[in-house]
Amino acid sequence: MAGFRSPNPGLRVPRPAAFGADPSGERMARIRRSPHFRDGVFQNPGGTARTRPSGSATEFAKIYFDREARSRRAPRGPVPVHATTLADLARPPAGGLRLTWMGHSSVLAEIDGQRVLFDPVWGERCSPVPFAGPKRLHPVPVPLAALGPVDVVVISHDHYDHLDMPTIKALAGTDTLFAVPLGVGAHLERWGVSADRLRELDWHESTRVGGLTLTATPARHFCGRGLRNTQHTLWASWVVAGEEHRVYHSGDTGYFDGFRDIGAAHGPFDATMIQLGAYAEFWPDIHMTPEEGVRAHLDLRGGTPGGVMLPIHWGSFNLAPHPWAEPAEWTKDAAEEAGQAVAFPRPGEPFEPTGKLPVDPWWRAVSGPIARPWRRLRSAEGVAGTGRGDLDLAGER
């Protein structure tokens, strides 16, 4: 069994299976040949990104553990999960493209006759242990075994809220292929996925799965699962292009100027899945705010509104100090100001980007008060509004 070094150099203890495996052999040699690997680690686009909370630890703890703030980071009642997901998925998409947000960053994309499952996390906690760590705030919309055949599973990076060992082990018993960034394949092989079912890519590399072309594209984030974060596994966003449709999944990323380049090289996209939750001023380089998420979508479109944006990475786990529904509420405001179409499905609610979009602000029924900064922006343009510090009860619009 592989091991890791403990703080006591004379002690070697078994490495938990959930930590996965470090790259080695030819996999590690390939990593070292990557133009994005330098000084022993993968490098971020746009320069070094802070991957640990910055600022005062005391201030962070004060905000994170404040009783009132903690209460706002969870819904006030059961999250309304879509009730007929399996029946809806039994019918093929009329327009050839359909997205089903399963919660957090897990999305089933049905594109030109094939099925792509992004960052599937069906576990109850995003954690290396089953008894601690962030717990799911709503049920998974459908059992994984009932989802049906999947042509390819796409993983953005190896953090626990994107790469879930129990889910991967369940999928290892199917015929699906796995498209992953460099180094991540070591984890999957340890969990039972055979090497011939892995498509392990560096940024700007592509692979074909049936009629689809999958391309790993840059993202601004980091990696790591164990006690030693070696930065030897890559993180990525993904482009999936079929004969008729194209989609983009951001994975986890901070905002950077590379979105415009990705859009120019691989777009235009019919739909984007954009991370915009679990942001905080303590780690501004590695996650996007709603305003940045909308800006990223517009960059992918060359600066012009178009296509459909699906907000992801919010609503399912408590991972940051912001209120639970803030990402959705602020995205709605930012998108309206930009004139950009955004889909707000309930977990498990399929929709077609070319059809009627789910836009009902369903989260307001179970949300506490949300600060409304976007009205301050309108006020600056000469329209009456409120200040950043003002609160508006969700639903009182």
mmCIF file of all heavy atoms in Angstrom, residues 114-134:
data_model
loop_
_atom_site.group_PDB
_atom_site.id
_atom_site.type_symbol
_atom_site.label_atom_id
_atom_site.label_comp_id
_atom_site.label_asym_id
_atom_site.label_seq_id
_atom_site.Cartn_x
_atom_site.Cartn_y
_atom_site.Cartn_z
ATOM 1 N N GLN A 114 -24.598 12.087 -27.680
ATOM 2 C CA GLN A 114 -23.723 11.473 -26.684
ATOM 3 C C GLN A 114 -23.903 12.149 -25.324
ATOM 4 O O GLN A 114 -24.398 13.276 -25.236
ATOM 5 C CB GLN A 114 -22.259 11.533 -27.146
ATOM 6 C CG GLN A 114 -22.028 10.691 -28.398
ATOM 7 C CD GLN A 114 -20.562 10.571 -28.757
ATOM 8 O OE1 GLN A 114 -20.038 11.303 -29.581
ATOM 9 N NE2 GLN A 114 -19.885 9.613 -28.128
ATOM 10 N N ARG A 115 -23.471 11.421 -24.277
ATOM 11 C CA ARG A 115 -23.690 11.898 -22.913
ATOM 12 C C ARG A 115 -22.348 12.100 -22.211
ATOM 13 O O ARG A 115 -21.521 11.200 -22.154
ATOM 14 C CB ARG A 115 -24.545 10.895 -22.130
ATOM 15 C CG ARG A 115 -25.868 10.568 -22.818
ATOM 16 C CD ARG A 115 -26.614 9.495 -22.045
ATOM 17 N NE ARG A 115 -27.621 10.075 -21.162
ATOM 18 C CZ ARG A 115 -27.968 9.589 -19.981
ATOM 19 N NH1 ARG A 115 -27.345 8.517 -19.514
ATOM 20 N NH2 ARG A 115 -28.916 10.160 -19.273
ATOM 21 N N VAL A 116 -22.180 13.304 -21.689
ATOM 22 C CA VAL A 116 -20.950 13.706 -21.002
ATOM 23 C C VAL A 116 -21.315 14.085 -19.574
ATOM 24 O O VAL A 116 -22.224 14.899 -19.353
ATOM 25 C CB VAL A 116 -20.276 14.894 -21.714
ATOM 26 C CG1 VAL A 116 -18.972 15.273 -21.010
ATOM 27 C CG2 VAL A 116 -20.042 14.589 -23.181
ATOM 28 N N LEU A 117 -20.610 13.522 -18.599
ATOM 29 C CA LEU A 117 -20.876 13.806 -17.194
ATOM 30 C C LEU A 117 -19.676 14.543 -16.614
ATOM 31 O O LEU A 117 -18.586 13.996 -16.517
ATOM 32 C CB LEU A 117 -21.138 12.509 -16.434
ATOM 33 C CG LEU A 117 -21.573 12.628 -14.970
ATOM 34 C CD1 LEU A 117 -22.851 13.452 -14.840
ATOM 35 C CD2 LEU A 117 -21.768 11.242 -14.366
ATOM 36 N N PHE A 118 -19.890 15.809 -16.242
ATOM 37 C CA PHE A 118 -18.827 16.643 -15.703
ATOM 38 C C PHE A 118 -18.774 16.540 -14.179
ATOM 39 O O PHE A 118 -19.805 16.635 -13.499
ATOM 40 C CB PHE A 118 -19.048 18.115 -16.073
ATOM 41 C CG PHE A 118 -18.886 18.438 -17.533
ATOM 42 C CD1 PHE A 118 -19.992 18.499 -18.366
ATOM 43 C CD2 PHE A 118 -17.638 18.711 -18.069
ATOM 44 C CE1 PHE A 118 -19.864 18.821 -19.711
ATOM 45 C CE2 PHE A 118 -17.489 19.032 -19.409
ATOM 46 C CZ PHE A 118 -18.608 19.082 -20.232
ATOM 47 N N ASP A 119 -17.580 16.382 -13.641
ATOM 48 C CA ASP A 119 -17.295 16.450 -12.197
ATOM 49 C C ASP A 119 -18.375 15.774 -11.344
ATOM 50 O O ASP A 119 -18.979 16.409 -10.473
ATOM 51 C CB ASP A 119 -17.137 17.907 -11.773
ATOM 52 C CG ASP A 119 -15.781 18.487 -12.172
ATOM 53 O OD1 ASP A 119 -14.961 17.742 -12.746
ATOM 54 O OD2 ASP A 119 -15.540 19.670 -11.917
ATOM 55 N N PRO A 120 -18.632 14.492 -11.558
ATOM 56 C CA PRO A 120 -19.717 13.831 -10.822
ATOM 57 C C PRO A 120 -19.363 13.618 -9.347
ATOM 58 O O PRO A 120 -18.361 12.966 -9.026
ATOM 59 C CB PRO A 120 -19.869 12.494 -11.548
ATOM 60 C CG PRO A 120 -18.511 12.224 -12.118
ATOM 61 C CD PRO A 120 -17.942 13.569 -12.487
ATOM 62 N N VAL A 121 -20.155 14.185 -8.467
ATOM 63 C CA VAL A 121 -19.993 14.003 -7.021
ATOM 64 C C VAL A 121 -21.345 13.579 -6.468
ATOM 65 O O VAL A 121 -22.256 14.386 -6.337
ATOM 66 C CB VAL A 121 -19.492 15.288 -6.340
ATOM 67 C CG1 VAL A 121 -19.474 15.127 -4.816
ATOM 68 C CG2 VAL A 121 -18.098 15.652 -6.845
ATOM 69 N N TRP A 122 -21.459 12.283 -6.173
ATOM 70 C CA TRP A 122 -22.698 11.733 -5.623
ATOM 71 C C TRP A 122 -22.572 11.451 -4.115
ATOM 72 O O TRP A 122 -23.523 11.040 -3.485
ATOM 73 C CB TRP A 122 -23.094 10.463 -6.369
ATOM 74 C CG TRP A 122 -24.183 10.644 -7.368
ATOM 75 C CD1 TRP A 122 -25.456 10.156 -7.279
ATOM 76 C CD2 TRP A 122 -24.135 11.356 -8.619
ATOM 77 N NE1 TRP A 122 -26.199 10.517 -8.386
ATOM 78 C CE2 TRP A 122 -25.407 11.258 -9.231
ATOM 79 C CE3 TRP A 122 -23.139 12.074 -9.273
ATOM 80 C CZ2 TRP A 122 -25.702 11.839 -10.449
ATOM 81 C CZ3 TRP A 122 -23.429 12.656 -10.490
ATOM 82 C CH2 TRP A 122 -24.691 12.537 -11.067
ATOM 83 N N GLY A 123 -21.398 11.685 -3.551
ATOM 84 C CA GLY A 123 -21.196 11.414 -2.132
ATOM 85 C C GLY A 123 -21.929 12.392 -1.238
ATOM 86 O O GLY A 123 -22.287 13.504 -1.648
ATOM 87 N N GLU A 124 -22.108 12.010 0.017
ATOM 88 C CA GLU A 124 -22.799 12.863 0.996
ATOM 89 C C GLU A 124 -21.896 13.987 1.491
ATOM 90 O O GLU A 124 -22.388 15.022 1.926
ATOM 91 C CB GLU A 124 -23.282 12.023 2.181
ATOM 92 C CG GLU A 124 -24.575 11.286 1.915
ATOM 93 C CD GLU A 124 -25.717 12.228 1.567
ATOM 94 O OE1 GLU A 124 -26.022 13.124 2.376
ATOM 95 O OE2 GLU A 124 -26.294 12.077 0.466
ATOM 96 N N ARG A 125 -20.587 13.785 1.456
ATOM 97 C CA ARG A 125 -19.655 14.811 1.903
ATOM 98 C C ARG A 125 -18.521 14.945 0.885
ATOM 99 O O ARG A 125 -18.081 13.948 0.311
ATOM 100 C CB ARG A 125 -19.047 14.454 3.268
ATOM 101 C CG ARG A 125 -20.048 14.413 4.413
ATOM 102 C CD ARG A 125 -19.335 14.111 5.724
ATOM 103 N NE ARG A 125 -20.249 13.930 6.828
ATOM 104 C CZ ARG A 125 -20.701 14.908 7.615
ATOM 105 N NH1 ARG A 125 -20.309 16.146 7.398
ATOM 106 N NH2 ARG A 125 -21.528 14.645 8.608
ATOM 107 N N CYS A 126 -18.031 16.163 0.689
ATOM 108 C CA CYS A 126 -16.826 16.336 -0.126
ATOM 109 C C CYS A 126 -15.648 16.365 0.843
ATOM 110 O O CYS A 126 -15.234 17.418 1.329
ATOM 111 C CB CYS A 126 -16.907 17.571 -1.004
ATOM 112 S SG CYS A 126 -17.431 19.096 -0.210
ATOM 113 N N SER A 127 -15.145 15.164 1.129
ATOM 114 C CA SER A 127 -14.181 14.981 2.198
ATOM 115 C C SER A 127 -13.490 13.636 2.017
ATOM 116 O O SER A 127 -14.058 12.724 1.405
ATOM 117 C CB SER A 127 -14.916 15.017 3.551
ATOM 118 O OG SER A 127 -14.107 14.559 4.605
ATOM 119 N N PRO A 128 -12.287 13.469 2.578
ATOM 120 C CA PRO A 128 -11.641 12.156 2.501
ATOM 121 C C PRO A 128 -12.218 11.142 3.480
ATOM 122 O O PRO A 128 -11.884 9.962 3.403
ATOM 123 C CB PRO A 128 -10.179 12.470 2.844
ATOM 124 C CG PRO A 128 -10.249 13.698 3.683
ATOM 125 C CD PRO A 128 -11.399 14.495 3.135
ATOM 126 N N VAL A 129 -13.086 11.600 4.401
ATOM 127 C CA VAL A 129 -13.676 10.693 5.384
ATOM 128 C C VAL A 129 -15.197 10.856 5.370
ATOM 129 O O VAL A 129 -15.707 11.930 5.071
ATOM 130 C CB VAL A 129 -13.132 10.963 6.799
ATOM 131 C CG1 VAL A 129 -11.656 10.637 6.867
ATOM 132 C CG2 VAL A 129 -13.379 12.405 7.223
ATOM 133 N N PRO A 130 -15.945 9.802 5.691
ATOM 134 C CA PRO A 130 -17.412 9.877 5.607
ATOM 135 C C PRO A 130 -18.087 10.536 6.793
ATOM 136 O O PRO A 130 -19.293 10.770 6.762
ATOM 137 C CB PRO A 130 -17.815 8.397 5.517
ATOM 138 C CG PRO A 130 -16.742 7.671 6.252
ATOM 139 C CD PRO A 130 -15.466 8.433 5.984
ATOM 140 N N PHE A 131 -17.324 10.876 7.844
ATOM 141 C CA PHE A 131 -17.942 11.371 9.069
ATOM 142 C C PHE A 131 -17.669 12.852 9.336
ATOM 143 O O PHE A 131 -18.122 13.399 10.338
ATOM 144 C CB PHE A 131 -17.462 10.544 10.265
ATOM 145 C CG PHE A 131 -15.966 10.438 10.381
ATOM 146 C CD1 PHE A 131 -15.211 11.437 10.986
ATOM 147 C CD2 PHE A 131 -15.299 9.352 9.844
ATOM 148 C CE1 PHE A 131 -13.839 11.351 11.076
ATOM 149 C CE2 PHE A 131 -13.910 9.244 9.934
ATOM 150 C CZ PHE A 131 -13.177 10.254 10.551
ATOM 151 N N ALA A 132 -16.934 13.521 8.469
ATOM 152 C CA ALA A 132 -16.606 14.932 8.674
ATOM 153 C C ALA A 132 -16.427 15.598 7.321
ATOM 154 O O ALA A 132 -16.230 14.948 6.308
ATOM 155 C CB ALA A 132 -15.341 15.065 9.518
ATOM 156 N N GLY A 133 -16.473 16.924 7.345
ATOM 157 C CA GLY A 133 -16.319 17.674 6.110
ATOM 158 C C GLY A 133 -17.649 18.201 5.615
ATOM 159 O O GLY A 133 -18.715 17.809 6.103
ATOM 160 N N PRO A 134 -17.626 19.107 4.627
ATOM 161 C CA PRO A 134 -18.859 19.725 4.129
ATOM 162 C C PRO A 134 -19.881 18.692 3.665
ATOM 163 O O PRO A 134 -19.584 17.831 2.833
ATOM 164 C CB PRO A 134 -18.373 20.581 2.959
ATOM 165 C CG PRO A 134 -16.938 20.875 3.287
ATOM 166 C CD PRO A 134 -16.430 19.643 3.961
#
